[in-house]
Amino acid sequence: MTDTTGLPDGYEISTDPGRIDAERVHRWLSTDTYWALGRSREKQDRAIAGSLNFGVYDMVSGDQVAYARVITDRTTFAWLCDVYVDPSARGKGIGTALAGAVREELRPHGVRRILLATHDAQGMYAKAGFAPLERPEQWMALEFGG
């Protein structure tokens, strides 16, 4: 899938795994996020390999400027994670367009629910249709740490 819907001029979204700049994604996530600080390159590469990946690219330079990955069976459930927009591209609506592209990519498969967790970007995700859990008391987690 390649799409420019909702993006500012000059950018495109692609799910082509061959376009992912894995070194750049690792650097972004392992050094500039609260959820993946210190994540090893090997762990990040495994995460990329096991996920549906979305990249946003500058159409002139070809450089990747944003990333998101989805863990999904493409049938019933999806988890949106590792969403990152390079500081040079923030404030242009790229994050909202990226979340919307995830929604639209999964919609035809009948996925019932896409979940995510965020400490600070609820407003951005709300623009793409995400809302707080209606009954959070029904959800549980098993955490191993790290």
Side-chain angles (χ1 to χ4, degrees):
M1 180 262 300
T2 301
D3 186 14
T4 58
T5 306
L7 286 170
D9 288 343
Y11 294 95
E12 65 181 344
I13 296 174
S14 175
T15 57
D16 178 356
R19 292 185 71 185
I20 298 296
D21 184 339
E23 190 281 321
R24 179 175 290 194
V25 168
H26 174 254
R27 184 177 66 251
W28 284 337
L29 298 178
S30 68
T31 65
D32 193 33
T33 66
Y34 60 82
W35 67 89
L37 280 178
R39 183 182 289 169
S40 72
R41 174 67 192 266
E42 185 268 335
K43 185 176 272 192
Q44 184 61 49
D45 287 348
R46 284 193 347 242
I48 289 170
S51 301
L52 171 61
N53 298 278
F54 291 75
V56 178
Y57 303 90
D58 180 302
M59 293 170 67
V60 174
S61 69
D63 291 340
Q64 186 171 350
V65 299
Y67 175 75
R69 70 184 182 93
V70 178
I71 303 160
T72 184
D73 59 11
R74 296 183 194 206
T75 304
T76 61
F77 180 82
W79 177 263
L80 173 59
C81 55
D82 287 347
V83 178
Y84 187 90
V85 178
D86 188 82
S88 68
R90 291 181 187 164
K92 300 178 180 181
I94 289 173
T96 300
L98 189 53
V102 167
R103 180 193 64 226
E104 295 310 310
E105 176 74 13
L106 295 173
R107 185 188 306 269
H109 298 284
V111 170
R112 181 171 176 214
R113 180 175 286 120
I114 303 171
L115 292 180
L116 63 86
T118 183
H119 291 293
D120 57 359
Q122 290 84 353
M124 187 271 297
Y125 290 110
K127 291 176 187 174
F130 287 82
L133 291 174
E134 189 173 307
R135 303 204 48 192
E137 69 278 4
Q138 293 181 344
W139 293 86
M140 297 180 71
L142 174 64
E143 295 187 29
F144 293 104

